[in-house]
Amino acid sequence: MNRRFIIFIGCFLLFVFLLEWKIPAKFVWNPTFNHKDRQPFGCAVFDSLLQQSVPAGYRVTDKTFAQLEREHWRRPHAILVQAVDFQPTETDLRAMDRLLKAGNKVLIAASDMQRDSLSTDFGVTINGSDTFSPRWVKQSLETQSLPYDTLSWAHQAPYPDASFRVYSSMVYGEVNADSIVDYEALVTYEYPRVGDAAEDVTDVDEETAEPYTVTGTVDSSLVAHSRKLIAVKRGKGEIFFCCTPLLLTNYGILDRQTNVLLFRMLSQFRGLPIVRTEAYTPKSELNQETPLRFFLQHEALRWAVYMALAGLLLFCVFFARRRQRVVPVVKAPGNKSLEFVRLIGTLYHQRHVNRDLLQKKYGYFAESLRRQLMIDVENTEVLRENVAQIAQRTGLAEADVRMILERTHRHLTSQEELTDADLRRTIDGMDMILNNL
């Protein structure tokens, strides 16, 4: 029996393993930018490829700008920041400003950046989107209208002009730098403006994939530019603002139409060591420290966890078979009510608490007459009617019944000592009435 159970459990676990192995991978399209996340918008593959592709060095850290400044680098570095909503503190801004003036470079790729102090210092805001809708792509494939946008990179030595086709939802938004003059737009998106003629033009919303109508006509002679990546000089350094953080992920590095654009963006660091910080990435369970992760990071503690799990597995294997336990003989509970009554009666008799014992007996006597004859013997005002009715039902003489009731009332209301003989005589009278009902 034990062997069959173990074989069944082993086969079941093997079946579950094969089933999970054959199931297609389920993708989660939420941006985490985490070093250990292998989902499309994580950075596990992104970091692995850049560690092998950047000659000057590439590493990932969770330090803020203020902490990076305290490292006191001997040579300039490039700092890469990816965020959904980039909201630096005043301390971060001061540290970033000092890093830039010292000759370092910073690339901020965020879908939203609206902080007033940052806008005041650099004159830049970012309005973008951090959502990617697979449903929208699926609908586009069904209608055979892939939602691509063409991004343009102007001439920059030694690179020529180039165009890159990217999914529209991944590059939605723009970098607003209208309040400053000294900046360079590296990546832009050109689209025709809407003219003044009253004519309806149908377009598709990039976030909801729902069609909508724009009043006006498209004039090919009017072209609007949407800035996706700009560069701003700051002291000896340079800061880059990008509104397409979804490109700097596993998906972007593996897409052949996108990774060329991505590497050209990183080439702006011009041979500097790159430090990617996760201090401003969205918080999730991947980048939160847990007790189990702490145990697995240390070899001794890790082996302790493995041995505990192995011991638990062996315990389950050896104690899985059923063991017959001794069935105890359980006796039926006895009726102790009569024994309890006798014990209480003996206690009252030994202590000669006669009046209390008579009171309890009289209470039982009165309740029995009230339940069976509907007579209240405690009401002395109708004693004559009660005596006549009890005598009629019991067959006793009215004089005997009257004597028993009067004797009982007298002993209950009297303050004199009640002897054992009087108690026995009174209780026998009440029993005589009850026995003849």
Side-chain angles (χ1 to χ4, degrees):
M1 189 66 182
N2 187 22
R3 182 177 299 176
R4 293 180 180 178
F5 178 78
I6 295 176
I7 294 175
F8 171 76
I9 293 297
C11 294
F12 177 75
L13 293 177
L14 180 62
F15 171 74
V16 173
F17 173 76
L18 294 176
L19 186 64
E20 291 290 335
W21 189 31
K22 293 294 183 180
I23 291 179
K26 182 179 179 180
F27 295 110
V28 179
W29 300 91
N30 296 326
T32 63
F33 311 113
N34 188 270
H35 176 65
K36 299 180 180 179
D37 190 5
R38 296 184 177 275
Q39 292 294 333
F41 293 148
C43 286
V45 182
F46 178 83
D47 293 335
S48 177
L49 291 179
L50 288 187
Q51 285 176 355
Q52 301 177 13
S53 304
V54 179
Y58 178 90
R59 65 185 178 94
V60 181
T61 182
D62 58 353
K63 295 182 179 180
T64 62
F65 283 109
Q67 293 172 330
L68 292 174
E69 184 190 10
R70 288 194 290 267
E71 292 187 1
H72 301 291
W73 297 320
R74 296 183 178 179
R75 54 175 299 190
H77 282 60
I79 303 174
L80 173 60
V81 178
Q82 299 149 293
V84 173
D85 184 12
F86 184 63
Q87 298 291 339
T89 63
E90 296 292 340
T91 304
D92 292 331
L93 289 174
R94 289 192 295 267
M96 182 171 59
D97 186 67
R98 288 191 293 266
L99 287 171
L100 290 172
K101 291 179 179 180
N104 299 283
K105 294 187 178 183
V106 178
L107 170 59
I108 298 176
S111 57
D112 184 62
M113 187 182 71
Q114 303 292 336
R115 196 177 191 280
D116 294 337
S117 59
L118 190 62
S119 302
T120 303
D121 292 344
F122 295 96
V124 177
T125 59
I126 297 177
N127 299 298
S129 174
D130 60 344
T131 58
F132 179 80
S133 176
R135 181 175 61 87
W136 177 36
V137 177
K138 182 178 179 180
Q139 292 178 357
S140 302
L141 292 175
E142 292 175 354
T143 58
Q144 296 182 354
S145 58
L146 294 179
Y148 281 111
D149 283 342
T150 302
L151 303 184
S152 301
W153 191 298
H155 176 74
Q156 185 185 36
Y159 303 109
D161 297 348
S163 299
F164 306 93
R165 297 185 65 205
V166 186
Y167 277 119
S168 301
S169 61
M170 298 182 66
V171 295
Y172 177 78
E174 67 173 345
V175 180
N176 186 358
D178 296 335
S179 60
I180 60 176
V181 179
D182 189 13
Y183 74 91
E184 181 182 4
L186 301 179
V187 180
T188 58
Y189 169 62
E190 297 181 356
Y191 58 94
R193 293 183 181 177
V194 177
D196 298 332
E199 183 178 344
D200 293 339
V201 178
T202 302
D203 202 348
V204 179
D205 187 86
E206 296 183 353
E207 294 186 351
T208 63
E210 299 294 337
Y212 67 94
T213 302
V214 179
T215 302
T217 58
V218 176
D219 188 354
S220 59
S221 62
L222 300 176
V223 178
H225 295 271
S226 175
R227 294 175 290 267
K228 306 298 181 180
L229 174 66
I230 69 170
V232 180
K233 297 290 184 179
R234 189 75 166 186
K236 298 180 181 180
E238 192 174 13
I239 184 170
F240 302 88
F241 294 97
C242 178
C243 65
T244 60
L246 299 183
L247 296 181
L248 303 172
T249 56
N250 298 333
Y251 187 94
I253 201 71
L254 294 177
D255 187 5
R256 294 183 178 179
Q257 298 184 10
T258 307
N259 55 14
V260 178
L261 172 63
L262 191 150
F263 279 108
R264 181 173 286 196
M265 292 170 58
L266 296 178
S267 68
Q268 303 303 307
F269 296 149
R270 304 189 188 282
L272 298 179
I274 301 177
V275 178
R276 190 178 76 86
T277 176
E278 294 184 340
Y280 308 96
T281 58
K283 299 301 179 184
S284 64
E285 61 275 6
L286 291 173
N287 51 19
Q288 292 180 354
E289 190 70 22
T290 61
L292 182 58
R293 179 172 294 180
F294 175 79
F295 274 74
L296 296 179
Q297 288 176 352
H298 300 80
E299 184 177 2
L301 296 178
R302 182 168 63 249
W303 277 105
V305 173
Y306 293 160
M307 292 180 65
L309 293 177
L312 181 61
L313 180 61
L314 290 176
F315 175 82
C316 295
V317 170
F318 283 104
F319 287 88
R321 64 185 181 89
R322 180 185 177 191
R323 291 186 174 185
Q324 182 66 39
R325 296 182 179 180
V326 178
V327 180
V329 178
V330 181
K331 295 182 180 180
N335 190 358
K336 303 294 183 180
S337 301
L338 183 59
E339 182 179 352
F340 175 75
V341 172
R342 288 176 178 174
L343 178 62
I344 296 299
T346 303
L347 180 63
Y348 274 85
H349 178 70
Q350 290 177 351
R351 293 182 177 272
H352 298 283
V353 190
N354 295 337
R355 196 176 305 281
D356 196 6
L357 183 59
L358 179 61
Q359 182 67 41
K360 289 180 169 54
K361 178 64 178 179
Y362 181 72
Y364 174 73
F365 171 74
E367 180 64 25
S368 298
L369 293 179
R370 187 181 297 108
R371 186 176 62 254
Q372 298 184 29
L373 303 181
M374 305 296 293
I375 294 176
D376 187 8
V377 295
E378 296 179 350
N379 189 0
T380 58
E381 296 180 357
V382 291
L383 181 61
R384 179 178 298 178
E385 289 82 356
N386 292 341
V387 169
Q389 190 172 359
I390 293 173
Q392 183 181 359
R393 294 294 301 271
T394 60
L396 300 176
E398 292 186 6
D400 295 338
V401 174
R402 181 184 297 276
M403 181 186 63
I404 293 172
L405 295 179
E406 290 178 350
R407 182 193 302 134
T408 304
H409 291 159
R410 185 176 65 255
H411 289 319
L412 288 174
T413 58
S414 176
Q415 299 297 328
E416 298 178 357
E417 183 180 358
L418 182 62
T419 63
D420 295 344
D422 293 338
L423 175 65
R424 187 179 300 108
R425 188 183 305 111
T426 304
I427 292 178
D428 289 342
M430 289 187 288
D431 288 340
M432 183 173 61
I433 294 176
L434 295 176
N435 292 333
N436 285 281
L437 287 177

